[in-house]
Amino acid sequence: MTSLDKPTEETSADDARAVTEAALFEAFGGVRGMVETVVPGLLFVTIFTINKDLHLSAIAALAVSLVLVVVRLVMKDTVKHAFSGVFGVAFGVVFAMMTGNAKDFYLPGMLYTLGLGLAYIVTTLCGVPLIGLILGPVFKENLSWRTRNPGRKKAYAKASYAWGTILLAKCAILFPLYWWADTAQLGWVLVALKIPPFLLAVYLTWVFLAKAPAPIDVFAEMEAEEKAAEERERQAAAARSAEQ
């Protein structure tokens, strides 16, 4: 192998960034996942702004969520992001219908955001950053980063703090609006804050993980151990046959 054929540190870094980008794209649903989270709320606030009809707005938002799930099923694509959107919209519809207050359509999602933001902070303080639990299986490292890869655990901690801070900052904007603004104002602000904070959190996660040590592929390790055990058994069997 010539010096030109040898992998360079720059090449390794580029590979690590590419793997990180692919994993983040898979974990968070990419562009399509973002669209599926925005469309129901956008449709709700658009219809409500025009005619102030809570029932029509809620039914339209729930219907489009179901359509997105059906489209994914027809295309035989993963439905976890679409299903999560359906459940979120369904809870919002139930809350709004029960109280008769259109703003309550957004309340379950806001409470979820608050709880998730706190979860990112608390789990990191407890030494088990939530983003590591989410991305560990995606990177095929499971929980190996907790005890075997301290640099990666530190990156997950930074990313989790970033997610928690961004989500709590978002809540600090939305909850006062829930009390003081009307439904249309709250809805449009919420739609506007749907994607930018998410993209910022994903970008910071990418920055932290791209600089972190490579993940330990525990699945490859298990496969190698199984092959080694099979080889030992084969050699033992061959030795017994030779002795006979």
Side-chain angles (χ1 to χ4, degrees), residues 88-101:
V89 172
F91 277 117
V93 169
V94 170
F95 267 66
M97 293 296 187
M98 288 177 59
T99 64
N101 184 354

Side-chain angles (χ1 to χ4, degrees), residues 12 19 26 34 37 70-72 95 104 116 120 135 140 167 196-197 224 241:
S12 300
V19 170
E26 177 183 344
M34 288 188 291
T37 62
V70 171
V71 170
R72 279 191 176 263
F95 267 66
D104 287 340
L116 187 59
Y120 276 116
L135 295 180
K140 300 181 181 180
L167 292 180
S241 299

Side-chain angles (χ1 to χ4, degrees), residues 169-192:
K170 180 178 176 179
C171 290
I173 297 173
L174 294 178
F175 276 96
L177 288 176
Y178 174 80
W179 295 108
W180 301 329
D182 61 32
T183 301
Q185 291 170 335
L186 173 62
W188 288 113
V189 172
L190 197 147
V191 168

Side-chain angles (χ1 to χ4, degrees), residues 69-88:
V69 171
V70 171
V71 170
R72 279 191 176 263
L73 289 173
V74 171
M75 298 180 64
K76 297 181 179 180
D77 200 355
T78 178
V79 296
K80 61 180 180 179
H81 298 289
F83 266 128
S84 64
V86 168
F87 289 129

Side-chain angles (χ1 to χ4, degrees), residues 18-62:
V19 170
T20 301
E21 289 173 6
L24 291 175
F25 191 88
E26 177 183 344
F28 297 117
V31 174
R32 186 174 179 180
M34 288 188 291
V35 170
E36 290 173 344
T37 62
V38 171
V39 169
L42 178 60
L43 185 60
F44 178 91
V45 70
T46 300
I47 295 176
F48 190 84
T49 299
I50 294 172
N51 60 20
K52 308 299 181 184
D53 189 329
L54 169 59
H55 291 79
L56 178 60
S57 303
I59 292 172
L62 185 58

Side-chain angles (χ1 to χ4, degrees), residues 209-227:
L209 292 182
K211 297 178 181 179
I216 299 172
D217 191 336
V218 295
F219 296 105
E221 288 184 343
M222 289 188 291
E223 184 178 350
E225 289 175 0
E226 290 177 359
K227 289 183 179 180

Side-chain angles (χ1 to χ4, degrees), residues 14 16 19 40 62 94 111 138 153 157 184 212 215:
D14 290 341
V19 170
L62 185 58
V94 170
L111 292 174
V138 178
K153 180 179 179 180

